[in-house]
Amino acid sequence: MTATLVQKSENDTATAVSTVVLTGVTGGNTIYVTAEDYDTWAIVSLADDKGNTYTQDLSARNYNNTANIKYYRANNVTGGTVTITLTRAGFGTARWYVEEVSGVANASPEVTMTLASGGYNATPTIAYTTVSANSYARTYSSTGSGVVTTDGTHTAHSSSGNRPGMASYLADTGAAGVKSGTVTLSGAQWWNMSGVVYAAAPSGPTVTGVTQTSGGTEGSTAVMTVTLSGATSGSTN
């Protein structure tokens, strides 16, 4: 299968409790959340009204060492209109990002990466190596200020609002090997980047042949051999 972005949303409300609502979520898909966990108003909980379970896959420090960037996922979700609630310990502004994705494996990321001290320039870049074909990469660019954009092969969340230039994700499908993303800032500044890559779900088997191997006369048991190819290869009777 190929990992595919279905929809995205975000929130930068300056309250201790904030929500993101996804409508028309397909049951069985995956919901991803990226959120800043500030030292002064830490994340207390992340949950939704469908009872889906959110697992943390990575925690990485931001550019000025004031927060952790946390990556969460909920696999095989219950669909419909899903209201996701993020609760923090205090009152602060910190944008968080949500994506619904189809075609990903219900598993931990195959690659995690943190550039804890990326440098001082205007073009942060991150590259993931040895990733599988048609996977889904999610990248967070932590910057002091500026506008975040991405190169032509990737898609970004909004860079407007209370925390401009804080994040982008990239849905990068294609051949196995290296996936990379570049963020263009308004000028040279300090930055960090981090991210995770999730493998695409395996495709189902395809029936390539059906033959009768024995039986078939009145009163006897007919045995058929079905030949499969794909994720489950071989034959079964």
Side-chain angles (χ1 to χ4, degrees), residues 208-221:
T208 57
V210 179
T211 57
Q212 180 176 315
T213 55
S214 65
T217 60
E218 185 177 354
S220 66
T221 301

Side-chain angles (χ1 to χ4, degrees), residues 77-143:
V77 300
T78 299
T81 298
V82 180
T83 301
I84 306 166
T85 301
L86 181 70
T87 303
R88 303 180 188 276
F91 183 94
T93 300
R95 184 181 290 268
W96 54 292
Y97 306 82
V98 180
E99 297 128 40
E100 177 194 357
V101 179
S102 65
V104 289
N106 294 331
S108 301
E110 60 180 0
V111 177
T112 62
M113 181 176 290
T114 301
L115 300 179
S117 55
Y120 185 84
N121 55 61
T123 55
T125 300
I126 193 169
Y128 308 97
T129 59
T130 62
V131 299
S132 60
N134 300 320
S135 57
Y136 185 77
R138 305 177 62 238
T139 300
Y140 192 103
S141 175
S142 172
T143 65

Side-chain angles (χ1 to χ4, degrees), residues 3 30 32-33 55-58 71-73 75 103-105 107-112 131-138 179 195-201:
T30 299
Y32 294 116
V33 176
T55 300
Q56 181 183 308
D57 285 326
L58 178 65
Y71 295 75
Y72 301 89
R73 63 182 159 88
N75 292 124
V104 289
S108 301
E110 60 180 0
V111 177
T112 62
V131 299
S132 60
N134 300 320
S135 57
Y136 185 77
R138 305 177 62 238
K179 298 183 187 297
V196 292
V197 181
Y198 296 90

Side-chain angles (χ1 to χ4, degrees), residues 11 15-20 33-36 43-47 72 84-88 94-96:
N11 191 318
T15 59
V17 180
S18 58
T19 61
V20 165
V33 176
T34 306
E36 293 175 305
I43 294 172
V44 175
S45 64
L46 175 67
Y72 301 89
I84 306 166
T85 301
L86 181 70
T87 303
R88 303 180 188 276
R95 184 181 290 268
W96 54 292

